[in-house]
């Protein structure tokens, strides 16, 4: 192997190590979404938060929608973002919603193949009738994985961190 090839290989391995260590793909994803939607999302002072866990087996294995909602709400409030009660949310322009969805298919015992999505949406029309309003997504990200309920919770925490970094402009 020539010296040039060896040097190239060494630099390539170093680049991969640094990209993984500093989570470059996530930083790039945050940067791109901030370029496109950053100002609009940072202009939102508060959200109504919802969580969808459509697979009842997850609830039986310990991932309860109410607990995920409480944990998500606590993290968002701790970051200084207001959680809007229904009455205030109805009066807020755009009626912003932060929705977390956990889709999961059971593999064996308590293991799942899953996708966790966090999406921020706003109403397109201000004076539309309840239930008939069209919503547009202004920010979204997701992560996929395989594991048990604790792995899913870890993934929810990580993806919430991505949202908070994006929201803060980080």
């Amino acid at each position: 192997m020539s010296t040039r090839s060896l040097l190239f290989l060494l630099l390539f391995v170093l680049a991969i190590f640094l990209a993984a260590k500093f989570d470059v793909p996530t930083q790039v994803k945050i940067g791109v979404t901030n370029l496109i939607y950053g100002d609009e999302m940072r202009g939102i002072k508060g959200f109504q938060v919802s969580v969808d866990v459509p697979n009842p087996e997850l609830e039986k294995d310990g991932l309860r929608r109410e607990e995920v909602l409480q944990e998500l709400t606590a993290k968002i409030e701790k970051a200084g973002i207001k959680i809007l009660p229904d009455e205030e949310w109805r009066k807020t322009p755009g009626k912003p919603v932060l929705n977390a969805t956990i889709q999961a298919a059971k593999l064996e015992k308590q293991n799942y193949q899953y996708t966790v999505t966090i999406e921020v949406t706003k109403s397109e029309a201000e004076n539309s009738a309840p239930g008939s309003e069209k919503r547009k997504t202004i920010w979204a990200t997701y992560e996929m994985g395989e594991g048990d309920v604790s792995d899913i919770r870890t993934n929810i925490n990580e993806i919430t961190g991505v949202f908070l970094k994006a929201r803060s402009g980080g």
Side-chain angles (χ1 to χ4, degrees):
M1 186 181 280
S2 72
T3 305
R4 184 184 302 179
S5 296
L6 190 57
L7 182 60
F8 177 74
L9 181 62
L10 183 61
L11 288 175
F12 183 70
V13 169
L14 180 63
I16 290 173
F17 170 76
L18 292 174
K21 180 171 176 42
F22 295 109
D23 199 11
V24 172
T26 300
Q27 297 305 321
V28 169
K29 185 187 328 181
I30 289 170
V32 169
T33 56
N34 277 342
L35 280 174
I36 299 169
Y37 303 111
D39 291 338
E40 186 173 6
M41 192 167 69
R42 281 188 295 281
I44 298 172
K45 302 301 178 208
F47 298 92
Q48 183 181 59
V49 179
S50 66
V51 174
D52 296 326
V53 183
N55 186 338
E57 289 180 319
L58 279 173
E59 299 247 347
K60 290 176 188 171
D61 287 342
L63 189 74
R64 290 173 188 76
R65 190 193 76 75
E66 295 80 18
E67 291 173 359
V68 173
L69 180 62
Q70 287 175 348
E71 291 169 11
L72 184 61
T73 300
K75 282 185 176 285
I76 292 169
E77 285 180 323
K78 186 176 179 183
I81 302 169
K82 188 172 182 179
I83 303 300
L84 302 173
D86 282 342
E87 195 64 36
E88 188 176 345
W89 175 77
R90 285 189 194 98
K91 297 174 186 175
T92 302
K95 296 178 185 154
V97 174
L98 183 136
N99 186 45
T101 305
I102 300 106
Q103 297 284 343
K106 197 162 195 170
L107 298 174
E108 57 187 34
K109 296 183 184 177
Q110 293 184 337
N111 282 330
Y112 293 87
Q113 184 173 5
Y114 60 88
T115 303
V116 177
T117 306
I118 289 187
E119 178 180 46
V120 175
T121 62
K122 283 177 61 176
S123 177
E124 288 185 342
E126 289 301 316
N127 296 325
S128 58
S132 67
E133 65 186 20
K134 291 185 179 182
R135 302 198 61 79
K136 71 174 183 174
T137 299
I138 62 169
W139 188 88
T141 191
Y142 69 94
E143 291 290 332
M144 298 168 63
E146 190 175 303
D148 61 11
V149 168
S150 66
D151 296 323
I152 296 172
R153 282 188 190 282
T154 300
N155 206 289
I156 293 167
N157 289 332
E158 289 172 2
I159 202 168
T160 302
V162 170
F163 163 73
L164 294 173
K165 284 181 185 177
R167 174 72 168 58
S168 70

